[in-house]
Amino acid sequence: MSKLKILFIHHAGCLGGAPKSMSYIIKNLDRERFKPILVNIEDGLVNDFFKTLPVEFKKVKGIKPFHGSSVVEKSTRLFFRNYFFLFASVFNAY
């Protein structure tokens, strides 16, 4: 039976609550059923932490975070930044 792949994507270089929470999920996955893959799109200290996890880790260049949630202030400049980097990000993610 082939394992199901689970893709985790992180968007920052700093070590905070999100990567720590994700590490608990990764560490507790059933390895008989799942193969976790972790991608980060930024350089930083968090990548050293990710490399200690039982996961296939990849650092992918050329992907930019797409901001638009209620956490980040929206502006015309942000809209054009998202639009400008969208196609390159999709291509590099593929």
Side-chain angles (χ1 to χ4, degrees):
M1 181 171 96
S2 63
K3 296 179 183 181
L4 292 173
K5 294 179 183 178
I6 299 177
L7 178 62
F8 295 89
I9 301 176
H10 189 61
H11 61 88
C14 58
L15 183 58
K20 290 179 184 176
S21 296
M22 190 167 42
S23 75
Y24 296 127
I25 295 169
I26 291 170
K27 288 176 186 176
N28 291 300
L29 278 176
D30 180 354
R31 292 293 192 278
E32 297 294 320
R33 295 179 55 205
F34 302 107
K35 178 184 178 183
I37 301 167
L38 172 58
V39 169
N40 193 10
I41 64 175
E42 294 289 335
D43 288 319
L45 294 175
V46 73
N47 292 335
D48 293 332
F49 172 71
F50 285 153
K51 290 174 185 174
T52 67
L53 299 176
V55 64
E56 180 181 335
F57 174 71
K58 297 179 181 191
K59 165 64 177 72
V60 178
K61 295 181 181 179
I63 300 174
K64 299 289 184 190
F66 187 88
H67 297 290
S69 69
S70 60
V71 176
V72 177
E73 182 180 333
K74 295 166 195 67
S75 67
T76 304
R77 180 179 175 204
L78 179 62
F79 172 80
F80 284 111
R81 181 198 174 282
N82 284 341
Y83 184 79
F84 180 73
F85 288 113
L86 176 64
F87 299 107
S89 292
V90 170
F91 177 79
N92 288 312
Y94 179 75

